[in-house]
Amino acid sequence: MSNLDAPSGFNPVGKIGSGPASKMSEYNVTNDDIFQGDIVKLASGVIVQGAAADTAFVGVFWGANYDDSTGKPVFVNQIAAGQAAVCFVYDDPYQVFEIQGDGASAQTDIGDTADIVVAAGNTTNGISGMELDSSDIGTGINLRIVNYSKNPARSDIGSANLLYEVLINEHLYK
């Protein structure tokens, strides 16, 4: 059975260790086009989309609030470049996320590291297109693979598009 090919960036699914349940923190954003589920970092004090070459991620963008031209508050999954807003980020360094891999995998990948692949988000629903880079498992450094998804439609080990459970390995607050 093959896995469904439906990248959606990072989705929070749990936490490593004890402590309070997952929560988000507020940050300012003004510079980038960012989608729900995108990995993000700080640049000049504001949140911007992360890239595989980055080394200090803050967490995962989950949405933003701002007042529209009529003064009405708006919540969005995607924030357009140049739109000043308060955004919400899952920034706990021990937050576990599910993310789709772009290639095949093996049971022995658990515990290894990998990088991310930045892909265009979906402008219709505001969801990220980021994936785990399956080609550099064991040599990439952005993410730490802690398990595979329990979703039966997305957990066929050895097939492409597997859902991984990961920690952000290169986290600013770790």
Side-chain angles (χ1 to χ4, degrees):
M1 177 175 120
S2 62
N3 296 312
L4 175 68
D5 185 10
S8 60
F10 293 81
N11 293 293
V13 294
K15 185 174 175 180
I16 296 287
S18 62
S22 306
K23 66 177 193 129
M24 295 174 274
S25 298
E26 294 182 3
Y27 294 86
N28 289 324
V29 61
T30 59
N31 297 335
D32 250 353
D33 194 21
I34 307 174
F35 295 84
Q36 185 178 71
D38 277 353
I39 198 167
V40 293
K41 66 176 189 167
L42 283 171
S44 300
V46 296
I47 293 295
V48 298
Q49 187 183 59
D54 295 331
T55 59
F57 300 109
V58 171
V60 172
F61 175 86
W62 206 249
N65 274 346
Y66 65 92
D67 292 342
D68 69 11
S69 60
T70 68
K72 179 182 173 185
V74 177
F75 179 85
V76 292
N77 291 347
Q78 172 195 359
I79 194 74
Q83 174 66 58
V86 173
C87 72
F88 302 96
V89 175
Y90 282 102
D91 61 357
D92 184 333
Y94 299 102
Q95 175 70 51
V96 177
F97 297 95
E98 278 187 343
I99 186 168
Q100 177 178 295
D102 65 351
S105 61
Q107 182 68 38
T108 56
D109 294 340
I110 293 177
D112 279 343
T113 55
D115 283 333
I116 59 170
V117 175
V118 177
N122 183 322
T123 57
T124 302
N125 63 19
I127 303 296
S128 174
M130 287 188 175
E131 295 181 283
L132 179 142
D133 187 352
S134 300
S135 69
D136 73 355
I137 290 175
T139 59
I141 55 174
N142 300 150
L143 309 173
R144 171 85 49 198
I145 299 168
V146 296
N147 212 341
Y148 297 113
S149 172
K150 307 304 183 276
N151 180 336
R154 310 288 306 272
S155 59
D156 185 16
I157 297 172
S159 297
N161 309 315
L162 177 74
L163 277 184
Y164 294 86
E165 291 183 1
V166 300
L167 288 170
I168 299 173
N169 194 46
E170 296 187 305
H171 203 289
L172 179 65
Y173 302 139
K174 193 168 15 174

